Structure formats: structure tokens, C-alpha cells
Amino acid sequence: MSRHEDGHESLAEARLDTFLTTAGDALLHHVQNTTSVSEALLRLMGADQENTAQGRSARPSVGRALQQARTDAGLTVEELSSTTRVRIPVVRAIEQNDFTHCGGSSYARAHIRLLARAVGLDPDTLVEQYDTDRSGFPDPVPAAPLFEAERVTRREPLRPNWTAGLAAAVVAVVVFTGFTLIGDGSRDGSRPAHSSVAEADPSKSAEPQRKPEPSDGAIAAAPADKVVVQLIADSGSSWISVNGRDGQLLYEGVLKEGDSKTFLDGERIDLVLGNPGAIQLYVNGKKSDDAGDMGQIQRLSYTKGDPAHGEPAR
Amino acid sequence: MRRSFLDFFQLEYHRVVRFLMCCGADQQTAEDAAQEAFVEGWRMVTAGTWGSVDNRQGWIRRIALSAYRRPRGQKRCQLPISHGVDLPDRSEPGPGHEELTVQARTVLAALAQLSDDQRHVMALHLDGYSSAESAQLLGLQDQKARDLLKGARRKLRRILSPAEPAERKD
């Protein structure tokens, strides 16, 4: 809190009065400059004025006349809105003599014309009445600061779009380079194809996989007379090779991080894992720790029934 | 009647807002309550009873003050008024206060340290009301209002000139 400049001397009564007066003036000045003169209030006084002064002369207000004519014509606000293309809230507001939603007096006149025509009133009379009702009534525009503030905040989100776009582009570039580097660093020659291997190579992977057993089911319900192996690359990518009985190739390629594959064979599955540390291995529905550590190539064999799992060949 | 009420509104609206701010309201709350009071006045205009109000400036302040003090559900969030050393800060965080001149802010902060009654009498005093008129508006005894005003002035002097606390001239 800042003290008054003369604070070090005693403020005599007169001084206090002077101070209070000037401070009061400053405060009043501030209030006058920052207060938006209650548009709603002015409107109320304008609208109510119609109800008293003009209500006596038996002429209904513009909004009231429109509403009356609409109900007489048996129309709902929604129907009127759809025929005139004036939005429902605007129609409602106009019927309450609130023309602020129209976006300016010329728009308000246009809206009144549209609505009047639709409900069978004379547009010119109504617009004329609208104009006379407004005249002599303080234009509500001075109350605009409030709405200006609103508009400013509303416009704001539009501007950062450039920044956001730029940021998105940067992120995209970073992600792309990151992936490229990881791809380079991770494994061997099959890298360029890795992204498409899973889906785009059905001749090799999907087909032979299905051939042994078409009902390629979930491992949880592993059939007892088959060997089922699920590989989940949860902590990195790994090149893998999967062979069925008689050395038949079921799959060969890179399992990307987050991917998972299930293989099924009637007798035997042989696995070669390029980066076993990255792979979670489930054999016949049970988690297996055979995969081994990061960076060592691992060869594993499983046969049907609970795995008499193959010896890690080094 | 409508014209005269609009004139009255133009003349008094900002002063009523200021009055409420002096009573401890932040600016938004003050504006709300002032508007409410003028709406009330407008109702009387339409009902034809506005003419029977003698002291219109006083009336509008009384209505505005009671509108400000009346808790209004969730919509009117009334800041809890506590009277402590930390009070001077209270007048500052509100939006718009940063534009207040130093003087106005100082006086608001000082007023915030008064008691409710003292603040009301003082706020009326700032609007040029005698303690007798204030007493009538606030429903207090004359003497009570005078005492409140005296106490308020003493306290303000002390707050505004902390260097010399003892010199009193009442």
C-alpha cells in the first residue's frame, strides 16, 4: 500500500478533507472511465417505457406485435426461424424487444422486415415504429466496452494458430528424425520395410499363419494340442523370425514397439529374437522369461503342450 | 418522469458505484448492486410511486447498500470482509484497480480498515451527507452517526499519517 505523500506530517482535519475529496474525485473519475453503463438497464428502461407510454396508446411494441402475429398465424419460433433463416435465439430476443443480437440497427431493421413478412405484418410500419422507438433513447453503444472485451478475448484464440501450426510442424520434424535415428540405430537390414511388414506382407506372415489353424484365436484360450506364442514388443523394436513345423517360415520382420503378434502351430514354433530385451513373450498363454536380455540374439523353440522350451542356443 | 429518471441515472449512477466501493465493495459488485438499485427505482417510476420519494440520492444509496449487503445466492459472491492488518491488500486484487490512481487506492485501502458502520457513514460523508442525514438513511441514532464519523476520521488520519499517531484535534 502506498502512503500519501504528506504522510509524514500530521494530517489535520482540513487536510484529511482535502485528501478525501481529491481521492474521491479520482475514484469517481476512475469509475466513470471504467464502468460500462449498464446496457441491460438502459434497455430495461427503454423497453418498459414502451410498456407504459406506448402501451397506453394501445400500440404494441415491435417485438410484441411480431410475437402476436406469429402466434395468430399458428407458427412456432422454430418454424419462423426455419422459414426466415433468422436464428432462433435472435427471433426470441426480437420478440422480447431485444435487438442487440441483430448486430446493428440496420441488421435489426432487416430482421424485422423478414419476420414481419413471414407472419403477415406490414414490414414498413414495423420498421418505422422501430426507428421511432429508438429515437430519443440513448444509443446503447456506449455500453460497448463490455462487449468489446468479449470480442477481443474471442478473437484471441484465432491468432495463435500460426504459432500452433509452426509448433506442430516442428514436433512432426522432430518425431520423424527421431524415428529415423531409432530405426537406423536399432536393427539390421530389414529396417526400411519394417513399418509395412506387419500389414503389407500377407503372403509371408498372415497366410502361412492361418494355414495351420484358421481359427486364429486368443492365446488365453490356447488349444491344448497346439503351440501358441505371443510376442509383444513393449520396450523397443525387435527383428524376429518365426518358424513353424518343418522349418516353415511363419513370419520374419521387425516388430515395432507397441506391436504384438500371435503365432500358432500344430507342433512346434521356433523363434529367433533379434532384440529379446524388447519382447514380452507368452507361450501357451503363460508369460515366459526365456527371451533374455537386450542386445543378444535369442533362439527359442516351443512344442505343443506346456513348453518343454528349447534350450537357448548361443 | 422517464426523462427525469434517466437524468437522475446519468447523474448518480457512477456516484453510487463509488459510494459502494467506499463501502468496501469491489468494482464489479458495486456496479451490480448499483444497477439493482436503479432497476428498483425504475420499477417505482413505472408504478408511478417514484414521485413520492423525497430524498432520491439518499434513497438510491440506501437501496444500493442493502443490495450490496444482501447475499444473493451463488450469483453475488460476496467477499468475506475481515478486519485485520492484511486488509489493505483487499482493495487491490480486483480487476480495474490497477488503473486507480494512487490516492484513490490509498483511500480505499484506508477505508477498508474501518468497521462496517464507520465505513458506511464515511462513504456517505464523502458523498456530502451530514451525519444527521446518514443517521436517517442508515437507521441510526444521530449521536451514534456522529460518533461513528468522528471515529472514522480519527482512524483514517492515523492510517494515512502513521508517522505521528498521537496528535488529535477532536
Side-chain angles (χ1 to χ4, degrees):
Chain A
M1 169 177 134
S2 44
R3 302 285 177 188
H4 186 240
E5 287 296 334
D6 298 343
H8 54 278
E9 288 173 25
S10 165
L11 278 164
E13 285 289 306
R15 271 234 174 109
L16 179 63
D17 276 333
T18 321
F19 176 78
L20 290 176
T21 314
T22 51
D25 285 348
L27 185 55
L28 183 62
H29 190 69
H30 165 76
V31 169
Q32 277 166 346
N33 285 336
T34 54
T35 306
S36 55
V37 175
S38 57
E39 189 192 14
L41 188 52
L42 289 173
R43 200 161 62 221
L44 173 81
M45 293 196 257
D48 280 11
Q49 191 259 340
E50 286 168 10
N51 289 347
T52 51
Q54 288 167 17
R56 251 176 257 129
S57 68
R59 189 174 71 153
S61 65
V62 175
R64 187 87 190 88
L66 284 170
Q67 188 179 23
Q68 190 62 47
R70 174 177 63 77
T71 46
D72 287 350
L75 287 169
T76 64
V77 174
E78 287 77 12
E79 286 164 347
L80 186 60
S81 167
S82 63
T83 52
T84 56
R85 298 298 188 93
V86 178
R87 286 184 296 116
I88 292 174
V90 178
V91 176
R92 291 234 168 82
I94 288 176
E95 290 189 348
Q96 302 301 315
N97 288 310
D98 173 5
F99 299 95
T100 51
H101 295 274
C102 299
S105 54
S106 49
Y107 290 102
R109 284 192 204 94
H111 282 149
I112 291 168
R113 272 180 205 286
L114 270 172
L115 296 175
R117 240 175 257 133
V119 297
L121 288 176
D122 179 25
D124 292 333
T125 332
L126 269 192
V127 169
E128 196 182 314
Q129 186 186 343
Y130 168 79
D131 285 340
T132 48
D133 285 355
R134 296 284 112 178
S135 65
F137 176 67
D139 203 22
V141 169
L146 188 70
F147 297 95
E148 260 166 27
E150 237 180 69
R151 238 176 272 137
V152 167
T153 50
R154 230 183 268 138
R155 199 178 299 137
E156 237 168 320
L158 287 177
R159 238 179 283 149
N161 269 354
W162 292 107
T163 332
L166 188 63
V170 168
V171 168
V173 167
V174 168
V175 167
F176 178 75
T177 27
F179 264 112
T180 321
L181 289 177
I182 289 170
D184 279 338
S186 67
R187 277 309 119 199
D188 49 23
S190 65
R191 190 237 326 144
H194 71 64
S195 60
S196 55
V197 161
E199 307 90 337
D201 205 354
S203 59
K204 266 190 178 175
S205 61
E207 219 175 274
Q209 182 186 336
R210 238 172 248 146
K211 212 180 282 167
E213 182 51 61
S215 69
D216 185 8
I219 25 154
D225 58 334
K226 302 220 160 45
V227 53
V228 182
V229 172
Q230 188 187 26
L231 301 162
I232 303 169
D234 60 347
S235 52
S237 308
S238 172
W239 177 88
I240 58 169
S241 161
V242 184
N243 288 289
R245 81 196 126 188
D246 307 323
Q248 180 197 25
L249 186 67
L250 296 178
Y251 180 78
E252 189 177 57
V254 171
L255 204 58
K256 282 190 297 173
E257 180 164 12
D259 281 355
S260 118
K261 283 205 169 291
T262 305
F263 301 98
L264 195 114
D265 195 86
E267 284 184 21
R268 171 193 174 88
I269 284 182
D270 294 319
L271 294 175
V272 181
L273 306 178
N275 181 20
I279 302 276
Q280 285 253 33
L281 188 60
Y282 291 87
V283 181
N284 295 339
K286 292 199 190 74
K287 190 173 190 304
S288 162
D289 297 322
D290 299 334
D293 296 325
M294 188 82 70
Q296 292 178 309
I297 293 178
Q298 184 74 288
R299 292 170 200 281
L300 299 162
S301 298
Y302 297 103
T303 50
K304 64 183 175 183
D306 202 39
H309 40 76
E311 66 291 350
R314 280 266 280 190
Chain B
M1 188 63 92
R2 170 175 174 266
R3 194 69 255 172
S4 81
F5 187 80
L6 279 179
D7 289 343
F8 171 71
F9 172 76
Q10 299 286 6
L11 203 69
E12 284 295 321
Y13 178 68
H14 293 119
R15 291 176 181 278
V16 173
V17 173
R18 177 182 72 163
F19 164 72
L20 289 174
M21 286 174 79
C22 287
C23 287
D26 65 65
Q27 194 170 350
Q28 260 71 41
T29 318
E31 286 174 30
D32 278 357
Q35 291 191 16
E36 205 174 317
F38 277 98
V39 167
E40 188 61 36
W42 179 250
R43 281 205 195 102
M44 294 181 70
V45 173
T46 53
T49 50
W50 179 243
S52 62
V53 178
D54 297 330
N55 181 356
R56 289 173 183 171
Q57 279 88 352
W59 181 88
I60 202 81
R61 278 169 181 72
R62 187 160 56 79
I63 301 297
L65 184 59
S66 68
Y68 160 60
R69 288 158 86 182
R70 166 167 20 97
R72 254 289 194 80
Q74 298 285 67
K75 256 197 163 175
R76 168 151 308 152
C77 61
Q78 261 193 336
L79 292 173
I81 298 175
S82 60
H83 306 287
V85 212
D86 54 338
L87 260 173
D89 295 332
R90 214 182 120 263
S91 63
E92 296 184 66
H97 275 274
E98 55 276 7
E99 298 110 62
L100 281 175
T101 61
V102 174
Q103 262 191 334
R105 198 167 11 195
T106 310
V107 82
L108 277 185
L111 282 168
Q113 297 186 50
L114 302 177
S115 77
D116 271 357
D117 282 342
Q118 280 177 334
R119 200 153 358 114
H120 298 151
V121 176
M122 198 67 217
L124 284 170
H125 176 69
L126 288 179
D127 276 355
Y129 283 76
S130 71
S131 45
E133 286 169 317
S134 307
Q136 203 191 347
L137 283 174
L138 298 170
L140 300 169
Q141 299 275 324
D142 275 12
Q143 186 57 48
K144 175 75 174 164
R146 275 199 293 277
D147 289 347
L148 283 171
L149 185 59
K150 208 191 283 181
R153 291 181 67 95
R154 195 186 307 140
K155 203 162 171 182
L156 281 182
R157 273 213 329 261
R158 204 166 57 236
I159 294 164
L160 296 169
S161 60
E164 290 186 49
E167 197 181 320
R168 290 175 188 174
K169 287 184 176 179
D170 303 332

